[in-house]
Amino acid sequence: MAYKSFEEYNMKITDDVKSRYEDIIKDLGEDTTRDGLVKTPERAAKAMQFLTQGYDQDPVEILKEAMFKESYNEMVIVKDIELYSLCEHHILPFFGKAHIAYIPNGQIVGLSKLPRIVDVFARRLQVQERLTEQILDCINDTLKPQGVAVVIEASHMCMMMRGVQKQNSITTTSGFRGQFEKIETRNEFLKLIGK
């Protein structure tokens, strides 16, 4: 499936995950029958389905739905795209922003599709490095532009609230293909996104 707003839940999966959350909460020493926790296992099961809905979406189809022939051949940038994902190592959130640029090669893509691609890949269990590369490769392989650049800046709760507990650390990852491998093009992009 391409992109759709996620509002329906698979009840079989919901019931199964709900049961597991119930067991986890009990194992942690909590009473799942107390008022504040009665509905928590079901809400957590639905939240997890929402946060991992990217597995059921096809980012290539999302791009293909809105590709248009156009002679424009200068840099196109969509910056400050909010992203929220789950670290696959601890299943804790990481969040931040992505900056994407591409140089068309006879085709452009609807601007809203770039943030949608970010969401599709972010709504999976992830590491930031792979997320950066998946976004980059999807745009590069599908749109076949002259070049693509992706920079992601994110804060990771696994570093902020546990482990080293560094609340002000930000992780930056980047990837470049085609024309963006040239230092002058890369520098123009980085200057335009304020880096």
Side-chain angles (χ1 to χ4, degrees):
M1 156 185 329
Y3 179 84
K4 78 170 197 166
S5 178
F6 192 86
E7 296 176 14
E8 297 176 14
Y9 298 93
N10 179 315
M11 287 315 294
K12 181 182 179 328
I13 293 173
T14 300
D15 290 342
D16 186 37
V17 176
K18 171 186 169 183
S19 171
R20 293 173 188 203
Y21 270 116
E22 217 163 42
D23 289 342
I24 291 168
I25 293 169
K26 286 178 187 172
D27 288 346
L28 294 173
E30 263 292 358
D31 175 8
T32 57
T33 63
R34 74 173 173 84
D35 283 348
L37 289 176
V38 170
K39 293 186 178 182
T40 297
E42 181 177 350
R43 286 191 295 259
K46 288 180 177 178
M48 189 56 71
Q49 287 178 76
F50 177 84
L51 295 171
T52 59
Q53 66 184 286
Y55 291 115
D56 296 324
Q57 298 173 345
D58 185 342
V60 172
E61 286 305 312
I62 290 169
L63 286 179
K64 286 182 176 178
E65 286 176 357
M67 289 172 54
F68 310 100
K69 290 183 180 181
E70 190 62 53
S71 62
Y72 184 82
N73 64 357
E74 298 295 330
M75 196 179 303
V76 177
I77 300 174
V78 180
K79 67 179 194 171
D80 297 328
I81 301 166
E82 300 96 5
L83 71 85
Y84 303 91
S85 192
L86 291 175
C87 161
E88 69 181 33
H89 300 142
H90 303 96
I91 312 185
L92 287 172
F94 68 93
F95 56 92
K97 54 190 173 181
H99 313 286
I100 299 173
Y102 75 97
I103 300 172
N105 191 19
Q107 293 198 50
I108 60 169
V109 68
L111 294 176
S112 70
K113 302 308 179 191
L114 298 176
R116 290 193 195 281
I117 295 302
V118 171
D119 285 348
V120 168
F121 289 117
R123 296 292 189 208
R124 301 175 181 189
L125 299 181
Q126 275 291 8
V127 293
Q128 184 174 331
E129 297 88 341
R130 183 186 319 117
L131 176 60
T132 304
E133 192 166 72
Q134 287 176 331
I135 295 166
L136 184 73
D137 289 341
C138 180
I139 296 167
N140 193 55
D141 296 346
T142 307
L143 194 56
K144 303 202 183 315
Q146 296 179 56
V148 183
V150 175
V151 171
I152 295 179
E153 304 167 282
S155 298
H156 293 250
M157 295 306 287
C158 59
M159 285 180 59
M160 296 170 70
M161 65 185 292
R162 63 162 307 282
V164 297
Q165 299 179 43
K166 300 301 178 198
Q167 285 74 35
N168 297 311
S169 63
I170 294 176
T171 301
T172 302
T173 51
S174 62
F176 305 96
R177 298 285 188 274
Q179 293 296 317
F180 288 95
E181 293 174 291
K182 296 179 179 176
I183 194 71
E184 61 275 4
T185 310
R186 182 183 305 190
N187 285 344
E188 179 185 351
F189 165 66
L190 295 173
K191 182 179 178 183
L192 289 169
I193 66 168
K195 300 294 158 217

